[in-house]
Amino acid sequence: MTARELARQLGVSQSMVSRAFSPGASIAPEMRARVLAAAEALGYRPNIIAASLSRRRSSIVGLVMGELANPFYPVVLEQLSQALQAAGFQTLLFTVPPGQEADAALPMLRQYHVDAVVVTSASLSSAGAAHWLGDGRAAVLFNRAAAGDTPLDSIACDNVAGGRMAAEALLRRGRRRPAFVAGRADTSTSREREEGFFAAFAERGLPPPLRVEAGGYSYGAGHRAALGLGEADGLFFANDILALGGLDALRHVLGRRVPRDVSVIGFDDIPMAAWPAYDLATLRQPVAEMVAATVTLLRARLSGAEGGAAYSERLPAVLVERGSL
């Protein structure tokens, strides 16, 4: 059974059959229901690949990730996939090693005729971005800032403001020997959170916080970093998985009482942060709002309604006060 045969049996045009299977297409609900019922009865299934070749659009969005070991990104992956599918897209997941640019994945993405790419926990070079966009495709950095003059759209949390909020929360608790535990130096999220954190102390004329570089985003990295923080009484970790490792080091190795001796704040609000064993204070990223903004921007770019310079949006984090503060 082909679309042409189905259309002939129903007495409608072949384009009417196509619209019935296209989310958001202009077709009366009664006609859509009639076409779908006939297709089910006659065993017709649309050939998505053939349709994409004819209209030169695959409706596939590539998700490029490099930090799936971080519990924050499986949450992002789930929400992004669901939102894109609801908008009529399908997704393909591509992973790159931590610290490696997403450029290496672009040739494979082209082979699958991917219309757009969402890059999270990885970076895309200026040359790679220009080549990709020059092909008429769209690209959005999710939870990342574009580096230098890279012409990429970006949807992210306001990490600088979040860093300030962390500093202010520690100052309200009377903490005067603060420390920041940085993630990887090549990530904009860690740099921006550090920037906001240090700025809050500088603006008050206070000495700069101690800084320790964890060298990565993992439980083990956070655990090791906390062991070198001496008598710091207020710790801000670049993300939650670092903070969880740090909490266990403070409590079980150093014997420090949290929060009596030291306050601890993370960033992201991963599910484990709320577990009673950790009860971690953190800055919650507005993931649902970031996902919605990303899907809206992709649809606008692919429809040609949104043109011009790269677009950037920063959405506010929310301080979640828990027992570690």
Side-chain angles (χ1 to χ4, degrees), residues 32-315:
R32 184 191 299 274
R34 181 185 168 202
V35 172
L36 295 180
E40 181 67 26
L42 297 170
Y44 169 73
R45 297 290 183 272
N47 187 327
I48 300 299
I49 295 175
S52 68
L53 290 173
S54 67
R55 64 173 184 267
R56 304 183 68 83
R57 285 292 187 189
S58 66
S59 296
I60 297 175
V61 175
L63 305 181
V64 181
M65 295 188 161
E67 287 281 354
L68 284 175
N70 179 352
F72 174 70
Y73 285 104
V75 173
V76 169
L77 175 60
E78 179 181 17
Q79 293 196 30
L80 257 178
S81 298
Q82 291 176 352
L84 287 165
Q85 287 168 7
F89 297 102
Q90 291 302 320
T91 58
L92 280 177
L93 174 63
F94 294 80
T95 59
V96 296
Q100 186 177 111
E101 290 186 329
D103 297 51
L106 296 184
M108 185 65 71
L109 289 162
R110 287 190 177 89
Q111 289 180 31
Y112 282 94
H113 299 284
V114 169
D115 289 340
V117 63
V118 178
V119 180
T120 79
S121 63
S123 60
L124 190 60
S125 73
S126 180
H131 191 191
W132 179 263
L133 298 174
D135 289 344
R137 297 179 170 93
V140 177
L141 295 179
F142 184 94
N143 195 37
R144 283 289 183 274
D149 59 352
T150 305
L152 286 175
D153 296 328
S154 171
I155 303 292
C157 176
D158 190 338
N159 292 299
V160 175
R164 288 179 180 274
M165 293 169 68
E168 291 161 0
L170 293 178
L171 288 169
R172 287 196 299 272
R173 297 303 191 280
R175 305 303 183 180
R176 293 297 179 267
R177 298 188 304 280
F180 175 72
V181 179
R184 291 202 323 272
D186 63 337
T187 59
S188 62
T189 50
S190 183
R191 292 195 304 269
E192 291 173 353
R193 292 164 192 176
E194 179 179 344
E195 176 188 340
F197 189 66
F198 276 69
F201 289 94
E203 290 163 1
R204 291 166 172 78
L206 298 172
L210 177 68
R211 182 184 186 278
V212 173
E213 194 161 304
Y217 291 110
S218 68
Y219 173 93
H223 193 281
R224 290 188 296 273
L227 298 179
L229 289 171
E231 294 302 312
D233 62 1
L235 308 184
F236 175 39
F237 288 81
N239 73 0
D240 283 351
I241 195 65
L242 287 172
L244 298 188
L247 274 172
D248 281 343
L250 291 167
R251 289 167 170 163
H252 306 307
V253 179
L254 301 177
R256 302 193 69 186
R257 296 166 297 179
V258 179
R260 178 181 291 188
D261 300 331
V262 56
S263 293
V264 177
I265 302 177
F267 207 113
D268 288 340
D269 197 27
I270 62 175
M272 287 180 287
W275 290 2
Y278 291 109
D279 202 19
L280 175 67
T282 186
L283 279 300
R284 176 182 296 153
Q285 293 214 55
V287 176
E289 291 83 357
M290 290 161 63
V291 165
T294 299
V295 174
T296 298
L297 182 55
L298 281 177
R299 295 183 71 173
R301 290 295 193 194
L302 292 174
S303 69
E306 188 77 32
Y311 176 81
S312 177
E313 184 173 357
R314 297 293 177 265
L315 298 166

